[in-house]
Amino acid sequence: MSLQTQELLLNVGPQHPSTHGVARFRVWLDGEVVTNLEVVVGYLHRGIEKLAETRTYTQVIPLTDRLDYLCSITNNLAYCLAVEKLAGVKVPERAEYIRVIMSELQRVASHLMSVGFLLNELGAYFTPIIYCFRDREKIVDLFEMVSGQRMMYTYLRVGGVSQDLPEEFIPAVKRLIVDLRKAVDEYEALLSGNEILLARMKGVGVLSPELAVNASASGPVLRASGIKWDIRRAEPYSIYDRFKFDIPTAKNGDCYDRYWVRIEEMKQSLNIVEQALRDLPGGEIRSEVPALIRPPKGDVYRHIEAPRGDLGFYIVSDGSIAPYRIHIKPPTLINLTTMKDLCVGWKIADFIVIFGSIDVVLGEMDR
Amino acid sequence: MTTALKTEQVVSQIAAAFTGADIKVDGPAVIVAPDMVNKVCAFLKSAPGLEFDYLHNLTSVDFMDYFEVVYHLTSLKHNHSMVLKTRCFDRNNAEVASVTGVWRGADFQEREVYDLMGIKFTGHPNLKRILLWDGFLGHPLRRDYL
Amino acid sequence: MTLLNQFIEWLDNYWPHWASYLTSAIVGVLIVVIFVILGIIVVILTERRLLGRFQVRLGPNRVGPEGIFQAFADAVKVLTKEDIVPKAADHWVHWLAPVISFIPVIMVFAVVPVASGAIFADLNVGVLYLAAVSSLSVLGMFMAGWGSNNKYSLVAALRSVSQMVGYELPIVFALLAVVAAAGSMSLNRIVEAQSAAPFFLLQPLGFIIYFIASLAEINRSPFDLLEADSEIVAGVHTEYSGMKFAMFYLGEYGHAFGASCIIATLFLGGWQGPFLPGFFWFLIKGFVVFFLMIWVRATLPRVRVDQLTAIGWKLLLPLSIFNLLIVALEQIFWPGMFPWLLIGVNLLAGLALILLVGRAVTIRGGRVEV
């Protein structure tokens, strides 16, 4: 007599403690094992691309903040680089160094948050999150010192940055780097050898390198699968070719490797900040750019290595003060293309961890 | 350092593979016909010396006379990149061949183009709206929507 | 002669026996219930403050001096909430589940000696009673999962049944080892048998096994799959609100309190200790065990359900059987042996076994071919 079973359709709905926002999945389960999966997005779609068509180039910058709202500086940077290439604007040296310092600090803050939330999904009851947030608070305080805001900074402008660094910034960053290095070592000591963490993450959700390249994965997801591709090295933007840093690449492509790559990237970012602080020149922070920029007709695609992947801006200009078309290439949405392949055969608990290790932010997925 | 390939080089190789095809050049971009896109992309992915195995970006622009679908490609192996474009002149029934068979990363991006711009991709395994809900009428990113 | 029996004898001077028996039963029950509820309140507060200290933050400290009235404030809040029952839920099952889940918590304290002679019922099969009663709460969890008519709760209920059933056996074997060493199933005798050395020194492996298996039985981290916040929303009590949710919440902490008291009784020597009265030693030892539980909760992530059953069946069960074997052999061949030698031997044997069995068993695993 055979047992009659039925597949359960579970809706990991837009409201769920672990969906990093309002992502929704429809998961078909056989007992606890995932047999099929469908990604449903669009709950945070605000039409940023359409809104940008009715705003001037400088007015689009606050819109870009709200994309990946945890990494506002890198969003601003990608957009400003695209417009600068289109309009042929040169950025002064001091502004370039400031942009690099801010971007790398933003990367550390973002990775701290993603590691903390990944461990929350593993079930470590809030302890790693609060430790990571304690360190992220220090970084956010620095951002507040510079731009006056804790979250959507709108700090960069086409042609430079909007405000100069206050005097207490540089000593504060130097102290912070020492603290953060100790903190990252502490996390590694506490977490990376933990037997339960290894049992939950090693070998889970393996993304093969061929599939990663074919599915246009980018960022830590791609590097964890063994492909050493970092836009800061491959197509250096801003002044990244002047800094020495490693590109951590892992071999297996499982959740543990994605976590490990982020921890190592934090260390490398701190190295870059140190080098940039050492070489920070004086000078002006923004080149002379008209208030209403009119780039010449044409199109440009510029992409940068944002903390979550390869964020690109495609801007088409028709010579007027507003862009004709802006397209934001979302690394997080594209990283989710292979979600079904990664999750089938694993259990609900693994599916949550795999999703956490891919590390999405809904603002960027849905725009 | 990724170099942008010279368009003449790419065009000559594509023309050699697809005789009689209609290939144009517009600045740094290569323009092919919409129904040939998937074959050209399969060729670009496998041709020795080109081997564009990574699709960076797939998007569309609405110039009122035509739709333009833009593909940004890179070869991780040779570290060079190129831009491929295609133009559809039929506004109400724009159709482009889908490249999901060549690069899986095109899946969600083509769905987004269909959702927001209304261009259908023939051969896509699951062409549904992705960012807007299923009953939505119209395609918001078109220049004549609102 | 327990305190309650002395009370009955004193009352027998004034009333017929059945009246004094009834009165003493009611008084005893009231004392136990009040003790348990006060204990739960203290435990909840301690957990929240201690968890906060582990996480580099203060816990609740506004309500009352240092936040000691926080639990009362929560109780008032919970009592004023609307009691929502899903329309398609099985009404009686849904209503009974929190009750059945909370009652074993109080019942367990009936056989725990809190001080010399202060025990409600000095059963001579106290350990058997413990094992039986503590497995009743599985039923409550499962009824909650089924009666809620919610897929998340159902998944959680299925997990909980497999978890609790799987860890009963290691608990029972560890208990049997304690019984073998003490020579009796009555908890009073077990406490008295630890006057030479507490059992956690004499049977370190048994203590570890019982502690881990208790964590699994009471659904605490790292085995809190039942209420895995990040996966199945709130698990079994997703659909409960108001006082019913409070019953589950109290029940969970009551289980933790009960398990710490039992571990203190069985392994740490109960109420024995110099200088202070027995009751204080009991509370201190219970608190030490509870502190360990909070420490584990704040530090470790959660295991997956198949890893949980693997730990229970493949790792803990063989270890507990070997533990029982060693203790039984010692009782047969070396009865009355000087305790320090026994402690040393058991410690070495425990370590060796943990290493051996740990090497032989893998708990990482399992992608299923679909």
Side-chain angles (χ1 to χ4, degrees):
Chain A
M1 185 182 83
S2 68
L3 205 57
Q4 193 190 23
T5 56
Q6 198 183 11
E7 268 192 348
L8 189 69
L9 170 58
L10 188 67
N11 183 40
V12 184
Q15 288 191 329
H16 192 249
S18 283
T19 51
H20 286 260
V22 282
R24 177 176 165 210
F25 294 92
R26 302 176 75 218
V27 182
W28 280 262
L29 298 170
D30 176 19
E32 280 243 357
V33 177
V34 175
T35 50
N36 198 357
L37 189 142
E38 187 189 334
V39 182
V40 180
V41 295
Y43 286 90
L44 198 54
H45 180 64
R46 299 153 288 175
I48 287 189
E49 296 181 359
K50 183 88 180 171
L51 283 173
E53 291 172 13
T54 54
R55 281 166 168 66
T56 69
Y57 281 91
T58 311
Q59 284 175 333
V60 172
I61 299 181
L63 284 179
T64 59
D65 272 332
R66 274 113 181 117
L67 285 174
D68 178 354
Y69 37 78
L70 299 173
C71 303
S72 297
I73 297 268
T74 43
N75 298 341
N76 287 346
L77 182 63
Y79 173 72
C80 289
L81 284 174
V83 177
E84 282 156 14
K85 183 168 173 192
L86 194 56
V89 172
K90 196 161 172 339
V91 180
E93 280 292 301
R94 186 175 167 85
E96 296 269 35
Y97 276 89
I98 294 179
R99 279 180 174 182
V100 166
I101 294 174
M102 290 301 187
S103 299
E104 294 306 313
L105 281 177
Q106 182 77 85
R107 192 182 309 269
V108 174
S110 167
H111 282 324
L112 275 175
M113 192 139 163
S114 91
V115 164
F117 275 104
L118 173 63
L119 275 147
N120 193 41
E121 270 140 36
L122 273 177
Y125 188 73
F126 289 115
T127 311
I129 280 194
I130 297 206
Y131 276 66
C132 291
F133 263 68
R134 178 193 56 172
D135 293 307
R136 185 173 175 266
E137 274 301 298
K138 298 178 192 161
I139 301 183
V140 166
D141 281 342
L142 281 182
F143 282 133
E144 187 185 358
M145 190 195 288
V146 176
S147 69
Q149 303 226 44
R150 282 168 54 91
M151 206 162 157
M152 325 276 197
Y153 316 115
T154 321
Y155 181 56
L156 272 61
R157 297 281 184 274
V158 177
V161 296
S162 62
Q163 288 162 41
D164 204 348
L165 305 172
E167 287 154 8
E168 53 271 13
F169 183 77
I170 296 184
V173 175
K174 290 197 170 119
R175 279 196 302 272
L176 181 69
I177 294 182
V178 173
D179 283 342
L180 282 177
R181 281 220 168 97
K182 273 205 298 257
V184 173
D185 286 335
E186 188 185 23
Y187 300 142
E188 233 184 340
L190 279 174
L191 298 172
S192 300
N194 189 333
E195 178 62 38
I196 298 183
L197 194 131
L198 288 173
R200 284 294 296 273
M201 295 222 281
K202 265 228 184 266
V204 174
V206 175
L207 182 63
S208 66
E210 298 79 31
L211 185 57
V213 171
N214 200 352
S216 304
S218 56
V221 174
L222 184 65
R223 289 194 281 281
S225 292
I227 313 275
K228 194 164 176 158
W229 180 258
D230 186 329
I231 313 264
R232 295 176 288 175
R233 224 1 107 64
E235 267 182 78
Y237 52 93
S238 191
I239 45 168
Y240 273 99
D241 43 0
R242 299 188 203 174
F243 299 113
K244 281 207 215 359
F245 57 97
D246 291 329
I247 306 202
T249 313
K251 287 195 293 286
N252 301 328
D254 53 18
C255 290
Y256 183 75
D257 281 341
R258 292 191 271 269
Y259 151 82
W260 179 87
V261 163
R262 292 196 173 101
I263 297 256
E264 293 293 315
E265 274 187 11
M266 278 199 265
K267 297 182 191 168
Q268 297 302 319
S269 290
L270 291 173
N271 287 348
I272 298 180
V273 174
E274 234 180 7
Q275 293 171 38
L277 276 181
R278 193 188 60 210
D279 300 334
L280 181 65
E284 44 175 46
I285 49 153
R286 192 175 175 192
S287 55
E288 278 296 317
V289 168
L292 296 175
I293 310 170
R294 281 173 211 269
K297 260 185 155 180
D299 61 352
V300 70
Y301 176 69
R302 201 84 199 267
H303 54 168
I304 68 162
E305 184 73 28
R308 287 186 169 78
D310 158 13
L311 173 70
F313 270 81
Y314 177 67
I315 305 185
V316 176
S317 153
D318 58 352
S320 67
I321 55 172
Y324 186 79
R325 168 92 165 96
I326 288 191
H327 175 71
I328 303 148
K329 178 231 171 187
T332 44
L333 182 62
I334 301 175
N335 280 347
L336 280 188
T337 313
T338 48
M339 190 70 182
K340 181 173 164 190
D341 301 51
L342 289 179
C343 290
V344 162
W346 294 101
K347 303 192 173 51
I348 304 180
D350 301 312
F351 147 70
I352 300 274
V353 172
I354 294 172
F355 181 57
S357 74
I358 294 186
D359 185 27
V360 300
V361 169
L362 262 298
E364 190 178 61
M365 258 168 71
D366 291 342
R367 282 152 287 147
Chain B
M1 183 67 205
T2 310
T3 48
L5 269 191
K6 293 258 179 300
T7 45
E8 297 80 25
Q9 184 184 350
V10 181
V11 168
S12 58
Q13 278 196 281
I14 301 179
F18 297 90
T19 49
D22 174 27
I23 306 176
K24 295 194 278 284
V25 171
D26 173 27
V30 176
I31 307 184
V32 296
D35 49 350
M36 270 185 51
V37 170
N38 56 344
K39 298 203 224 12
V40 172
C41 288
F43 168 73
L44 285 173
K45 183 175 170 189
S46 54
L50 291 179
E51 274 156 3
F52 287 103
D53 50 359
Y54 193 79
L55 171 74
H56 270 305
N57 184 28
L58 199 166
T59 186
S60 64
V61 189
D62 181 9
F63 300 105
M64 291 304 288
D65 311 324
Y66 55 89
F67 288 126
E68 189 172 83
V69 181
V70 185
Y71 303 77
H72 288 88
L73 312 171
T74 296
S75 167
L76 296 187
K77 196 166 147 194
H78 301 287
N79 207 4
H80 52 223
S81 67
M82 69 169 278
V83 183
L84 185 72
K85 289 188 186 178
T86 177
R87 289 185 179 158
C88 312
F89 290 87
D90 185 355
R91 217 173 154 74
N92 296 325
N93 200 13
E95 278 189 5
V96 175
S98 164
V99 296
T100 41
V102 182
W103 300 290
R104 271 188 67 180
D107 189 352
F108 285 171
Q109 303 190 76
E110 283 182 353
R111 275 176 71 182
E112 185 187 331
V113 168
Y114 165 66
D115 186 4
L116 297 177
M117 199 71 93
I119 303 174
K120 289 200 193 41
F121 287 88
T122 52
H124 192 282
N126 186 20
L127 196 67
K128 309 195 293 201
R129 286 185 180 269
I130 184 170
L131 292 180
L132 298 169
W133 61 96
D134 282 330
F136 194 88
L137 291 174
H139 299 281
L141 264 186
R142 295 190 173 192
R143 289 301 276 202
D144 55 356
Y145 184 93
L146 286 184
Chain C
M1 186 64 116
T2 69
L3 285 175
L4 211 57
N5 285 349
Q6 290 173 351
F7 184 59
I8 293 180
E9 276 188 6
W10 177 75
L11 274 182
D12 270 343
N13 295 335
Y14 304 100
W15 288 344
H17 185 75
W18 64 266
S20 57
Y21 191 74
L22 196 61
T23 317
S24 67
I26 293 176
V27 166
V29 164
L30 276 176
I31 293 180
V32 168
V33 168
I34 291 176
F35 173 67
V36 169
I37 296 207
L38 277 179
I40 292 178
I41 289 178
V42 169
V43 147
I44 290 180
L45 188 74
T46 318
E47 155 126 18
R48 289 175 72 170
R49 289 303 298 268
L50 266 181
L51 211 55
R53 293 312 301 152
F54 273 111
Q55 296 170 356
V56 200
R57 60 180 174 96
L58 304 168
N61 62 351
R62 292 273 179 248
V63 187
E66 292 299 320
I68 56 179
F69 295 134
Q70 179 70 37
F72 295 105
D74 283 337
V76 169
K77 174 196 84 169
V78 138
L79 279 171
T80 57
K81 281 207 177 179
E82 182 189 349
D83 187 19
I84 305 175
V85 176
K87 192 162 162 196
D90 195 335
H91 188 77
W92 282 109
V93 173
H94 187 84
W95 185 85
L96 265 180
V99 175
I100 293 188
S101 160
F102 188 64
I103 287 182
V105 170
I106 307 184
M107 282 173 75
V108 149
F109 277 90
V111 293
V112 171
V114 300
S116 171
I119 185 173
F120 181 68
D122 189 7
L123 293 178
N124 54 359
V125 286
V127 166
L128 181 64
Y129 173 85
L130 268 183
V133 161
S134 58
S135 39
L136 274 181
S137 48
V138 184
L139 189 61
M141 293 286 164
F142 190 66
M143 285 171 69
W146 174 257
S148 296
N149 198 34
N150 180 342
K151 283 174 194 165
Y152 288 116
S153 309
L154 192 62
V155 165
L158 297 173
R159 284 177 175 182
S160 81
V161 169
S162 72
Q163 174 179 339
M164 287 175 151
V165 162
Y167 282 83
E168 281 294 332
L169 275 177
I171 277 195
V172 165
F173 279 118
L175 281 177
L176 277 178
V178 167
V179 165
S184 155
M185 277 210 228
S186 155
L187 280 164
N188 246 343
R189 302 279 165 286
I190 293 180
V191 170
E192 280 158 21
Q194 294 180 56
S195 43
F199 279 159
F200 85 97
L201 286 177
L202 280 174
Q203 303 174 22
L205 187 58
F207 172 63
I208 294 175
I209 294 171
Y210 192 83
F211 183 71
I212 297 178
S214 290
L215 282 180
E217 285 287 317
I218 59 183
N219 294 311
R220 271 186 81 88
S221 241
F223 305 113
D224 60 348
L225 285 79
L226 198 61
E227 40 152 49
D229 277 344
S230 51
E231 297 156 23
I232 43 181
V233 193
V236 149
H237 28 264
T238 313
E239 295 286 349
Y240 284 91
S241 59
M243 199 57 206
K244 294 185 192 155
F245 175 72
M247 293 250 90
F248 275 118
Y249 193 63
L250 289 176
E252 185 192 319
Y253 284 103
H255 275 303
F257 182 47
S260 345
C261 291
I262 293 173
I263 295 181
T265 309
L266 291 174
F267 287 98
L268 263 62
W271 44 261
Q272 291 176 333
F275 310 122
L276 293 172
F279 186 58
F280 285 105
W281 273 116
F282 177 75
L283 287 180
I284 289 174
K285 290 175 188 179
F287 175 72
V288 166
V289 177
F290 188 62
F291 178 79
L292 275 178
M293 288 187 181
I294 299 180
W295 195 355
V296 165
R297 181 181 194 191
T299 318
L300 294 176
R302 193 181 295 136
V303 297
R304 205 175 58 206
V305 64
D306 60 327
Q307 293 166 348
L308 176 112
T309 44
I311 292 179
W313 292 96
K314 290 200 264 182
L315 188 64
L316 287 185
L317 188 60
L319 278 177
S320 59
I321 294 180
F322 281 126
N323 179 46
L324 180 60
L325 186 67
I326 292 178
V327 170
L329 285 175
E330 279 170 7
Q331 285 298 314
I332 294 177
F333 292 118
W334 293 341
M337 166 63 80
F338 189 66
W340 293 107
L341 200 57
L342 267 183
I343 291 176
V345 166
N346 279 346
L347 205 58
L348 282 173
L351 279 171
L353 273 175
I354 290 179
L355 282 172
L356 279 173
V357 178
R359 284 283 146 89
V361 163
T362 48
I363 58 166
R364 294 188 196 178
R367 185 162 186 264
V368 174
E369 278 312 312
V370 158

